[in-house]
Amino acid sequence: MRFSVGLAKEDAVERLEKRGVSRREFLKFCSAVAVAMGMGPAFASRVAAALTGKRPSVVYLHGAECTACSESVLRVYQPFIDELILDTISLDYHETLMAAAGYAAEEALHQAVSAPEGYICVIEGAIPTAMDGLYGTVGGKTMLQICSEVAPKAKAVISYGTCAAYGGIPAAQPNPTGSKGVNEVLGELGVQAINLPGCPPNPLNFVGTLVHWLKNQSVPELDENGRPNMFYGTSVHEQCERLPHFENSEFAPSFDSEEARKGWCLYELGCKGPNTYNNCPKLKFNQTSWPVQVGHPCIGCSEPNFWDDLTPFYEA
């Protein structure tokens, strides 16, 4: 069957076809992205056009983090990451995923940031700033140096994950490494990164942000914390399937209680949903589930200073 998506370019279409991605699978994925963007399934054809057009160069940098954000991107499925994301963007530098090492990796980074057509910079992890950034180095350069050199020249910058957006766990007190979020560190260099917080974030938020930028060449509407409103504009609490139990004052007294097994509200067990803005209940992870659905309270991981401000997690 011939794969065809409106404005898609032939080379991209052929690449996806050869990898066994059916038209149905691809459009199903595009529909999920469209819904994540708040546009509805009818917007899927425009998402498809953006994802199969000219492949943008992406330079993906790592700071102080656990790599869970990269892991979340790898779990995009139907179609899988290697069939879609790595074939619709040109991921020219990613220290975790790339086969190159040493001088070859350094040369790949140099070529990517020197390309005349420009690049999108994605940063995962907080940036250590204490002792001039010496708490985090890659290839003999500090993470602070690398991000300061690469991010200001990018056409767009995405802070992927709470650590990159706000400092996250590396910035939790007492923060001996002086870790901070991207905008806090690089703002004086003119960087205004799009924050996609979460520990980890939902990868469809990442894809949706790329789609918006590819179609509009502009940053989506952001909230006061630098997050796209289309993903982070509503509280977890307002979207939660357990909301009727909250409104009826039906709270689980413990995790092993009958009420918990019946799906009663977890607010008194520490759920931070009312103070957290994200689309986890709507989008779910792997389009399958999310923490509250399986019986764990929301810990507020997409909020600034969540580790210091929202702990202990299991207290109301």
Side-chain angles (χ1 to χ4, degrees):
M1 179 177 67
R2 188 70 184 163
F3 190 102
S4 177
V5 219
L7 300 177
K9 294 195 175 182
E10 190 63 21
D11 58 347
V13 171
E14 289 179 352
R15 286 197 304 271
L16 290 169
E17 254 186 346
K18 290 175 181 177
R19 290 179 176 270
V21 180
S22 71
R23 182 178 187 277
R24 177 172 180 160
E25 288 175 327
F26 181 58
L27 289 180
K28 182 178 178 180
F29 175 84
C30 292
S31 294
V33 174
V35 169
M37 297 173 71
M39 304 302 293
F43 193 73
S45 60
R46 297 176 66 182
V47 172
L51 288 176
T52 53
K54 181 177 175 59
R55 298 169 69 197
S57 174
V58 174
V59 174
Y60 196 117
L61 303 177
H62 286 271
E65 38 79 22
C66 67
T67 319
C69 298
S70 289
E71 291 286 345
S72 76
V73 174
L74 288 173
R75 278 156 180 74
V76 171
Y77 84 118
Q78 291 183 343
F80 293 96
I81 181 70
D82 64 328
E83 297 170 333
L84 176 64
I85 305 304
L86 297 184
D87 209 45
T88 55
I89 66 174
S90 181
L91 189 57
D92 294 324
Y93 184 82
H94 190 300
E95 291 150 12
T96 305
L97 301 180
M98 65 195 304
Y103 291 113
E106 291 297 301
E107 181 59 25
L109 178 59
H110 174 73
Q111 290 183 5
V113 300
S114 302
E117 61 271 17
Y119 57 92
I120 298 170
C121 177
V122 180
I123 300 177
E124 173 182 343
I127 302 177
T129 62
M131 295 181 64
D132 295 322
L134 287 176
Y135 280 100
T137 63
V138 178
K141 285 188 175 182
T142 67
M143 295 168 177
L144 175 60
Q145 285 178 293
I146 296 170
C147 292
S148 298
E149 293 171 3
V150 175
K153 300 174 185 176
K155 294 189 290 186
V157 180
I158 296 174
S159 298
Y160 191 55
T162 297
C163 296
Y166 311 124
I169 293 176
Q173 292 300 321
N175 192 11
T177 65
S179 289
K180 300 177 182 178
V182 171
N183 284 331
E184 186 177 0
V185 177
L186 304 181
E188 61 184 20
L189 299 179
V191 172
Q192 294 182 315
I194 304 167
N195 289 333
L196 298 180
C199 192
N202 193 303
L204 290 184
N205 291 345
F206 175 60
V207 178
T209 299
L210 285 177
V211 167
H212 184 281
W213 195 88
L214 290 170
K215 286 197 63 62
N216 303 290
Q217 297 293 299
S218 65
V219 172
E221 181 182 347
L222 307 177
D223 68 9
E224 62 183 5
N225 292 311
R227 304 173 293 197
N229 281 322
M230 57 186 173
F231 307 130
Y232 300 90
T234 307
S235 73
V236 168
H237 178 70
E238 293 175 76
Q239 304 169 76
C240 182
E241 63 262 31
R242 301 188 187 217
L243 181 59
H245 292 291
F246 177 89
E247 293 173 338
N248 291 329
S249 298
E250 295 173 344
F251 303 106
S254 66
F255 289 113
D256 61 352
S257 65
E258 183 63 26
E259 291 86 352
R261 284 189 284 273
K262 289 180 179 179
W264 283 26
C265 181
L266 302 174
Y267 181 70
E268 293 187 352
L269 298 178
C271 186
K272 306 302 190 294
N275 306 106
T276 304
Y277 288 82
N278 209 331
N279 57 5
C280 303
K282 175 182 176 182
L283 219 55
K284 302 186 178 182
F285 286 85
N286 296 337
Q287 302 171 38
T288 301
S289 187
W290 70 291
V292 172
Q293 184 175 335
V294 297
H296 192 283
C298 169
I299 63 173
C301 69
S302 55
E303 296 304 305
N305 303 315
F306 91 97
W307 189 266
D308 291 330
D309 293 347
L310 300 181
T311 51
F313 290 135
Y314 302 113
E315 292 182 11

